[in-house]
């Protein structure tokens, strides 16, 4: 039976074992869901670790982009041909049967938006006098609005989390816009997962995604994030460990 959703992820060889944990856990808990792993630097033996799972396709990332793999998530998303596409970072793990939680409640787009306390921690080094703690620093918001150059006022005063999100393919133009903004505002080359040279975009791909979610005129309607609610069926993210 054809699945209506594909899980996609991407990594280089540094994240091989994280990707293996993600894919093995998904294969155990939701074996009906196809998985695309886009990779660079894997050996044939590495690839065999993943292709032992029948629903997994291992795809070579192109050599045309030298940026960090985190800035190339759109390539993985655009590789899928199902109605829904779920991006999961290669340091995530699937706990239980999450099939019901994967599909956005509004049929459009589910992504987690940060609470004010999280924003206050993320932007603590960037606030200027007059900024409201828990919001986006005014200088950062102004830079995002200028660079996206579509909406004048943001949809919300928060950031999104790019480690897990699900989108319907009717919104792939939004994903392409995200990719174009990354090319526009982030320097070429691999500068790691954090680049403090650019305060507005120091979280690289996630900062750019937050900017287009806030200021793009084609941002999909966002539904509640459901993949962190059920202790028996959720996505665990090990990014800070």
């Amino acid at each position: 039976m054809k699945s209506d959703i594909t899980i996609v992820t991407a990594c280089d060889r540094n994240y091989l074992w994280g990707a293996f944990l993600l894919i093995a856990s998904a294969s155990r808990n939701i074996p009906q869901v196809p998985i695309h792993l886009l990779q660079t630097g894997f050996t044939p033996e590495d690839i065999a670790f993943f292709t032992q799972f029948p629903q997994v396709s291992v795809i070579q990332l192109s050599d045309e982009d030298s940026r960090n793999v985190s800035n190339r998530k759109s390539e993985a998303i655009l590789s899928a041909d199902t109605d829904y596409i779920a991006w999961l970072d290669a340091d995530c793990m699937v706990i239980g049967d999450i099939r019901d939680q994967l599909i956005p409640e509004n049929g459009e787009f589910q992504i987690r938006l940060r609470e004010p306390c999280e924003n206050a921690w993320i932007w603590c080094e960037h606030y200027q006098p007059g900024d409201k703690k828990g919001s986006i620093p005014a200088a950062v918001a102004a830079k995002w609005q200028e660079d996206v150059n579509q909406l004048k006022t943001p949809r919300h005063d928060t950031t999104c989390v790019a480690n897990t999100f699900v989108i319907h393919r009717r919104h792939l133009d939004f994903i392409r816009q995200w990719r174009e903004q990354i090319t526009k505002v982030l320097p070429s080359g691999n500068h790691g997962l954090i680049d403090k040279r650019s305060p507005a975009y120091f979280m690289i791909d996630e900062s750019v995604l937050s900017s287009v979610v806030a200021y793009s005129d084609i941002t999909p309607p966002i539904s509640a994030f459901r993949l962190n609610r059920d202790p028996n069926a959720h996505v665990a993210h090990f990014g800070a460990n």
Side-chain angles (χ1 to χ4, degrees), residues 70-87:
S70 290
N71 288 325
R72 304 179 64 184
K73 295 175 180 178
S74 61
E75 291 179 50
I77 295 167
L78 295 171
S79 75
D81 60 4
T82 46
D83 288 340
Y84 292 96
I85 304 155
W87 166 268

mmCIF file with all atom_site columns, all heavy atoms in Angstrom, residues 70-87:
data_model
loop_
_atom_site.group_PDB
_atom_site.id
_atom_site.type_symbol
_atom_site.label_atom_id
_atom_site.label_alt_id
_atom_site.label_comp_id
_atom_site.label_asym_id
_atom_site.label_entity_id
_atom_site.label_seq_id
_atom_site.pdbx_PDB_ins_code
_atom_site.Cartn_x
_atom_site.Cartn_y
_atom_site.Cartn_z
_atom_site.occupancy
_atom_site.B_iso_or_equiv
_atom_site.pdbx_formal_charge
_atom_site.auth_seq_id
_atom_site.auth_comp_id
_atom_site.auth_asym_id
_atom_site.auth_atom_id
_atom_site.pdbx_PDB_model_num
ATOM 1   N N   . SER A 1 70 ? 23.146 20.769 7.196  1.00 0.00 ? 70 SER A N   1
ATOM 2   C CA  . SER A 1 70 ? 21.943 21.353 7.796  1.00 0.00 ? 70 SER A CA  1
ATOM 3   C C   . SER A 1 70 ? 21.319 22.415 6.909  1.00 0.00 ? 70 SER A C   1
ATOM 4   O O   . SER A 1 70 ? 20.114 22.672 6.996  1.00 0.00 ? 70 SER A O   1
ATOM 5   C CB  . SER A 1 70 ? 22.267 21.963 9.168  1.00 0.00 ? 70 SER A CB  1
ATOM 6   O OG  . SER A 1 70 ? 22.551 20.959 10.101 1.00 0.00 ? 70 SER A OG  1
ATOM 7   N N   . ASN A 1 71 ? 22.122 23.054 6.065  1.00 0.00 ? 71 ASN A N   1
ATOM 8   C CA  . ASN A 1 71 ? 21.603 24.064 5.142  1.00 0.00 ? 71 ASN A CA  1
ATOM 9   C C   . ASN A 1 71 ? 21.048 23.460 3.854  1.00 0.00 ? 71 ASN A C   1
ATOM 10  O O   . ASN A 1 71 ? 20.647 24.200 2.954  1.00 0.00 ? 71 ASN A O   1
ATOM 11  C CB  . ASN A 1 71 ? 22.710 25.071 4.795  1.00 0.00 ? 71 ASN A CB  1
ATOM 12  C CG  . ASN A 1 71 ? 23.031 25.991 5.949  1.00 0.00 ? 71 ASN A CG  1
ATOM 13  O OD1 . ASN A 1 71 ? 22.158 26.368 6.709  1.00 0.00 ? 71 ASN A OD1 1
ATOM 14  N ND2 . ASN A 1 71 ? 24.300 26.333 6.082  1.00 0.00 ? 71 ASN A ND2 1
ATOM 15  N N   . ARG A 1 72 ? 20.994 22.127 3.797  1.00 0.00 ? 72 ARG A N   1
ATOM 16  C CA  . ARG A 1 72 ? 20.596 21.467 2.561  1.00 0.00 ? 72 ARG A CA  1
ATOM 17  C C   . ARG A 1 72 ? 19.379 20.558 2.776  1.00 0.00 ? 72 ARG A C   1
ATOM 18  O O   . ARG A 1 72 ? 19.140 19.618 2.017  1.00 0.00 ? 72 ARG A O   1
ATOM 19  C CB  . ARG A 1 72 ? 21.784 20.685 2.001  1.00 0.00 ? 72 ARG A CB  1
ATOM 20  C CG  . ARG A 1 72 ? 23.007 21.593 1.784  1.00 0.00 ? 72 ARG A CG  1
ATOM 21  C CD  . ARG A 1 72 ? 24.203 20.841 1.267  1.00 0.00 ? 72 ARG A CD  1
ATOM 22  N NE  . ARG A 1 72 ? 23.928 20.284 -0.059 1.00 0.00 ? 72 ARG A NE  1
ATOM 23  C CZ  . ARG A 1 72 ? 24.785 19.505 -0.715 1.00 0.00 ? 72 ARG A CZ  1
ATOM 24  N NH1 . ARG A 1 72 ? 25.956 19.210 -0.175 1.00 0.00 ? 72 ARG A NH1 1
ATOM 25  N NH2 . ARG A 1 72 ? 24.480 19.029 -1.904 1.00 0.00 ? 72 ARG A NH2 1
ATOM 26  N N   . LYS A 1 73 ? 18.618 20.839 3.799  1.00 0.00 ? 73 LYS A N   1
ATOM 27  C CA  . LYS A 1 73 ? 17.442 20.019 4.108  1.00 0.00 ? 73 LYS A CA  1
ATOM 28  C C   . LYS A 1 73 ? 16.435 20.022 2.964  1.00 0.00 ? 73 LYS A C   1
ATOM 29  O O   . LYS A 1 73 ? 15.721 19.036 2.753  1.00 0.00 ? 73 LYS A O   1
ATOM 30  C CB  . LYS A 1 73 ? 16.784 20.516 5.397  1.00 0.00 ? 73 LYS A CB  1
ATOM 31  C CG  . LYS A 1 73 ? 17.659 20.347 6.629  1.00 0.00 ? 73 LYS A CG  1
ATOM 32  C CD  . LYS A 1 73 ? 17.026 20.951 7.875  1.00 0.00 ? 73 LYS A CD  1
ATOM 33  C CE  . LYS A 1 73 ? 17.931 20.759 9.088  1.00 0.00 ? 73 LYS A CE  1
ATOM 34  N NZ  . LYS A 1 73 ? 17.371 21.381 10.314 1.00 0.00 ? 73 LYS A NZ  1
ATOM 35  N N   . SER A 1 74 ? 16.374 21.107 2.240  1.00 0.00 ? 74 SER A N   1
ATOM 36  C CA  . SER A 1 74 ? 15.408 21.191 1.145  1.00 0.00 ? 74 SER A CA  1
ATOM 37  C C   . SER A 1 74 ? 15.659 20.111 0.101  1.00 0.00 ? 74 SER A C   1
ATOM 38  O O   . SER A 1 74 ? 14.708 19.613 -0.528 1.00 0.00 ? 74 SER A O   1
ATOM 39  C CB  . SER A 1 74 ? 15.459 22.567 0.486  1.00 0.00 ? 74 SER A CB  1
ATOM 40  O OG  . SER A 1 74 ? 16.748 22.817 -0.062 1.00 0.00 ? 74 SER A OG  1
ATOM 41  N N   . GLU A 1 75 ? 16.910 19.729 -0.117 1.00 0.00 ? 75 GLU A N   1
ATOM 42  C CA  . GLU A 1 75 ? 17.202 18.679 -1.090 1.00 0.00 ? 75 GLU A CA  1
ATOM 43  C C   . GLU A 1 75 ? 16.535 17.374 -0.694 1.00 0.00 ? 75 GLU A C   1
ATOM 44  O O   . GLU A 1 75 ? 16.018 16.632 -1.546 1.00 0.00 ? 75 GLU A O   1
ATOM 45  C CB  . GLU A 1 75 ? 18.712 18.481 -1.230 1.00 0.00 ? 75 GLU A CB  1
ATOM 46  C CG  . GLU A 1 75 ? 19.434 19.644 -1.888 1.00 0.00 ? 75 GLU A CG  1
ATOM 47  C CD  . GLU A 1 75 ? 20.927 19.415 -1.992 1.00 0.00 ? 75 GLU A CD  1
ATOM 48  O OE1 . GLU A 1 75 ? 21.336 18.336 -2.483 1.00 0.00 ? 75 GLU A OE1 1
ATOM 49  O OE2 . GLU A 1 75 ? 21.702 20.297 -1.583 1.00 0.00 ? 75 GLU A OE2 1
ATOM 50  N N   . ALA A 1 76 ? 16.558 17.065 0.594  1.00 0.00 ? 76 ALA A N   1
ATOM 51  C CA  . ALA A 1 76 ? 15.906 15.849 1.069  1.00 0.00 ? 76 ALA A CA  1
ATOM 52  C C   . ALA A 1 76 ? 14.391 15.960 0.934  1.00 0.00 ? 76 ALA A C   1
ATOM 53  O O   . ALA A 1 76 ? 13.720 15.022 0.492  1.00 0.00 ? 76 ALA A O   1
ATOM 54  C CB  . ALA A 1 76 ? 16.295 15.584 2.526  1.00 0.00 ? 76 ALA A CB  1
ATOM 55  N N   . ILE A 1 77 ? 13.847 17.117 1.309  1.00 0.00 ? 77 ILE A N   1
ATOM 56  C CA  . ILE A 1 77 ? 12.394 17.301 1.234  1.00 0.00 ? 77 ILE A CA  1
ATOM 57  C C   . ILE A 1 77 ? 11.913 17.174 -0.207 1.00 0.00 ? 77 ILE A C   1
ATOM 58  O O   . ILE A 1 77 ? 10.908 16.508 -0.487 1.00 0.00 ? 77 ILE A O   1
ATOM 59  C CB  . ILE A 1 77 ? 12.009 18.664 1.840  1.00 0.00 ? 77 ILE A CB  1
ATOM 60  C CG1 . ILE A 1 77 ? 12.339 18.684 3.339  1.00 0.00 ? 77 ILE A CG1 1
ATOM 61  C CG2 . ILE A 1 77 ? 10.530 18.971 1.611  1.00 0.00 ? 77 ILE A CG2 1
ATOM 62  C CD1 . ILE A 1 77 ? 12.289 20.046 3.967  1.00 0.00 ? 77 ILE A CD1 1
ATOM 63  N N   . LEU A 1 78 ? 12.635 17.767 -1.128 1.00 0.00 ? 78 LEU A N   1
ATOM 64  C CA  . LEU A 1 78 ? 12.219 17.757 -2.527 1.00 0.00 ? 78 LEU A CA  1
ATOM 65  C C   . LEU A 1 78 ? 12.447 16.408 -3.202 1.00 0.00 ? 78 LEU A C   1
ATOM 66  O O   . LEU A 1 78 ? 12.003 16.201 -4.331 1.00 0.00 ? 78 LEU A O   1
ATOM 67  C CB  . LEU A 1 78 ? 12.943 18.863 -3.293 1.00 0.00 ? 78 LEU A CB  1
ATOM 68  C CG  . LEU A 1 78 ? 12.595 20.292 -2.855 1.00 0.00 ? 78 LEU A CG  1
ATOM 69  C CD1 . LEU A 1 78 ? 13.526 21.300 -3.513 1.00 0.00 ? 78 LEU A CD1 1
ATOM 70  C CD2 . LEU A 1 78 ? 11.152 20.635 -3.160 1.00 0.00 ? 78 LEU A CD2 1
ATOM 71  N N   . SER A 1 79 ? 13.103 15.475 -2.520 1.00 0.00 ? 79 SER A N   1
ATOM 72  C CA  . SER A 1 79 ? 13.303 14.139 -3.083 1.00 0.00 ? 79 SER A CA  1
ATOM 73  C C   . SER A 1 79 ? 12.074 13.250 -2.951 1.00 0.00 ? 79 SER A C   1
ATOM 74  O O   . SER A 1 79 ? 11.988 12.212 -3.612 1.00 0.00 ? 79 SER A O   1
ATOM 75  C CB  . SER A 1 79 ? 14.490 13.449 -2.402 1.00 0.00 ? 79 SER A CB  1
ATOM 76  O OG  . SER A 1 79 ? 14.146 12.998 -1.091 1.00 0.00 ? 79 SER A OG  1
ATOM 77  N N   . ALA A 1 80 ? 11.130 13.639 -2.096 1.00 0.00 ? 80 ALA A N   1
ATOM 78  C CA  . ALA A 1 80 ? 9.965  12.791 -1.814 1.00 0.00 ? 80 ALA A CA  1
ATOM 79  C C   . ALA A 1 80 ? 8.829  13.099 -2.784 1.00 0.00 ? 80 ALA A C   1
ATOM 80  O O   . ALA A 1 80 ? 8.693  14.222 -3.269 1.00 0.00 ? 80 ALA A O   1
ATOM 81  C CB  . ALA A 1 80 ? 9.502  13.002 -0.377 1.00 0.00 ? 80 ALA A CB  1
ATOM 82  N N   . ASP A 1 81 ? 7.993  12.075 -3.049 1.00 0.00 ? 81 ASP A N   1
ATOM 83  C CA  . ASP A 1 81 ? 6.864  12.284 -3.961 1.00 0.00 ? 81 ASP A CA  1
ATOM 84  C C   . ASP A 1 81 ? 5.517  11.985 -3.311 1.00 0.00 ? 81 ASP A C   1
ATOM 85  O O   . ASP A 1 81 ? 4.505  11.893 -3.998 1.00 0.00 ? 81 ASP A O   1
ATOM 86  C CB  . ASP A 1 81 ? 7.035  11.434 -5.229 1.00 0.00 ? 81 ASP A CB  1
ATOM 87  C CG  . ASP A 1 81 ? 7.104  9.937  -4.936 1.00 0.00 ? 81 ASP A CG  1
ATOM 88  O OD1 . ASP A 1 81 ? 6.949  9.543  -3.757 1.00 0.00 ? 81 ASP A OD1 1
ATOM 89  O OD2 . ASP A 1 81 ? 7.307  9.163  -5.892 1.00 0.00 ? 81 ASP A OD2 1
ATOM 90  N N   . THR A 1 82 ? 5.492  11.848 -1.995 1.00 0.00 ? 82 THR A N   1
ATOM 91  C CA  . THR A 1 82 ? 4.239  11.616 -1.284 1.00 0.00 ? 82 THR A CA  1
ATOM 92  C C   . THR A 1 82 ? 3.533  12.936 -0.998 1.00 0.00 ? 82 THR A C   1
ATOM 93  O O   . THR A 1 82 ? 4.107  14.011 -1.137 1.00 0.00 ? 82 THR A O   1
ATOM 94  C CB  . THR A 1 82 ? 4.508  10.877 0.033  1.00 0.00 ? 82 THR A CB  1
ATOM 95  O OG1 . THR A 1 82 ? 5.618  11.503 0.702  1.00 0.00 ? 82 THR A OG1 1
ATOM 96  C CG2 . THR A 1 82 ? 4.844  9.416  -0.212 1.00 0.00 ? 82 THR A CG2 1
ATOM 97  N N   . ASP A 1 83 ? 2.261  12.840 -0.570 1.00 0.00 ? 83 ASP A N   1
ATOM 98  C CA  . ASP A 1 83 ? 1.508  14.052 -0.237 1.00 0.00 ? 83 ASP A CA  1
ATOM 99  C C   . ASP A 1 83 ? 2.168  14.824 0.897  1.00 0.00 ? 83 ASP A C   1
ATOM 100 O O   . ASP A 1 83 ? 2.286  16.050 0.841  1.00 0.00 ? 83 ASP A O   1
ATOM 101 C CB  . ASP A 1 83 ? 0.069  13.693 0.151  1.00 0.00 ? 83 ASP A CB  1
ATOM 102 C CG  . ASP A 1 83 ? -0.768 13.250 -1.033 1.00 0.00 ? 83 ASP A CG  1
ATOM 103 O OD1 . ASP A 1 83 ? -0.386 13.559 -2.177 1.00 0.00 ? 83 ASP A OD1 1
ATOM 104 O OD2 . ASP A 1 83 ? -1.791 12.580 -0.818 1.00 0.00 ? 83 ASP A OD2 1
ATOM 105 N N   . TYR A 1 84 ? 2.569  14.115 1.943  1.00 0.00 ? 84 TYR A N   1
ATOM 106 C CA  . TYR A 1 84 ? 3.203  14.751 3.099  1.00 0.00 ? 84 TYR A CA  1
ATOM 107 C C   . TYR A 1 84 ? 4.661  14.336 3.174  1.00 0.00 ? 84 TYR A C   1
ATOM 108 O O   . TYR A 1 84 ? 5.036  13.211 2.812  1.00 0.00 ? 84 TYR A O   1
ATOM 109 C CB  . TYR A 1 84 ? 2.495  14.363 4.400  1.00 0.00 ? 84 TYR A CB  1
ATOM 110 C CG  . TYR A 1 84 ? 1.108  14.922 4.531  1.00 0.00 ? 84 TYR A CG  1
ATOM 111 C CD1 . TYR A 1 84 ? -0.001 14.159 4.182  1.00 0.00 ? 84 TYR A CD1 1
ATOM 112 C CD2 . TYR A 1 84 ? 0.896  16.219 4.986  1.00 0.00 ? 84 TYR A CD2 1
ATOM 113 C CE1 . TYR A 1 84 ? -1.286 14.674 4.282  1.00 0.00 ? 84 TYR A CE1 1
ATOM 114 C CE2 . TYR A 1 84 ? -0.381 16.744 5.092  1.00 0.00 ? 84 TYR A CE2 1
ATOM 115 C CZ  . TYR A 1 84 ? -1.460 15.963 4.739  1.00 0.00 ? 84 TYR A CZ  1
ATOM 116 O OH  . TYR A 1 84 ? -2.730 16.478 4.839  1.00 0.00 ? 84 TYR A OH  1
ATOM 117 N N   . ILE A 1 85 ? 5.478  15.255 3.660  1.00 0.00 ? 85 ILE A N   1
ATOM 118 C CA  . ILE A 1 85 ? 6.916  15.005 3.809  1.00 0.00 ? 85 ILE A CA  1
ATOM 119 C C   . ILE A 1 85 ? 7.300  15.459 5.214  1.00 0.00 ? 85 ILE A C   1
ATOM 120 O O   . ILE A 1 85 ? 7.014  16.603 5.606  1.00 0.00 ? 85 ILE A O   1
ATOM 121 C CB  . ILE A 1 85 ? 7.715  15.779 2.758  1.00 0.00 ? 85 ILE A CB  1
ATOM 122 C CG1 . ILE A 1 85 ? 7.215  15.422 1.346  1.00 0.00 ? 85 ILE A CG1 1
ATOM 123 C CG2 . ILE A 1 85 ? 9.201  15.461 2.879  1.00 0.00 ? 85 ILE A CG2 1
ATOM 124 C CD1 . ILE A 1 85 ? 7.468  16.483 0.314  1.00 0.00 ? 85 ILE A CD1 1
ATOM 125 N N   . ALA A 1 86 ? 7.938  14.552 5.946  1.00 0.00 ? 86 ALA A N   1
ATOM 126 C CA  . ALA A 1 86 ? 8.348  14.843 7.319  1.00 0.00 ? 86 ALA A CA  1
ATOM 127 C C   . ALA A 1 86 ? 9.859  14.927 7.380  1.00 0.00 ? 86 ALA A C   1
ATOM 128 O O   . ALA A 1 86 ? 10.553 13.939 7.092  1.00 0.00 ? 86 ALA A O   1
ATOM 129 C CB  . ALA A 1 86 ? 7.847  13.758 8.262  1.00 0.00 ? 86 ALA A CB  1
ATOM 130 N N   . TRP A 1 87 ? 10.379 16.100 7.707  1.00 0.00 ? 87 TRP A N   1
ATOM 131 C CA  . TRP A 1 87 ? 11.814 16.232 7.949  1.00 0.00 ? 87 TRP A CA  1
ATOM 132 C C   . TRP A 1 87 ? 12.083 15.884 9.405  1.00 0.00 ? 87 TRP A C   1
ATOM 133 O O   . TRP A 1 87 ? 11.462 16.440 10.317 1.00 0.00 ? 87 TRP A O   1
ATOM 134 C CB  . TRP A 1 87 ? 12.323 17.644 7.686  1.00 0.00 ? 87 TRP A CB  1
ATOM 135 C CG  . TRP A 1 87 ? 13.705 17.810 8.260  1.00 0.00 ? 87 TRP A CG  1
ATOM 136 C CD1 . TRP A 1 87 ? 14.031 18.263 9.504  1.00 0.00 ? 87 TRP A CD1 1
ATOM 137 C CD2 . TRP A 1 87 ? 14.933 17.405 7.638  1.00 0.00 ? 87 TRP A CD2 1
ATOM 138 N NE1 . TRP A 1 87 ? 15.387 18.187 9.697  1.00 0.00 ? 87 TRP A NE1 1
ATOM 139 C CE2 . TRP A 1 87 ? 15.961 17.655 8.570  1.00 0.00 ? 87 TRP A CE2 1
ATOM 140 C CE3 . TRP A 1 87 ? 15.258 16.864 6.392  1.00 0.00 ? 87 TRP A CE3 1
ATOM 141 C CZ2 . TRP A 1 87 ? 17.300 17.393 8.299  1.00 0.00 ? 87 TRP A CZ2 1
ATOM 142 C CZ3 . TRP A 1 87 ? 16.599 16.592 6.112  1.00 0.00 ? 87 TRP A CZ3 1
ATOM 143 C CH2 . TRP A 1 87 ? 17.601 16.862 7.060  1.00 0.00 ? 87 TRP A CH2 1
#
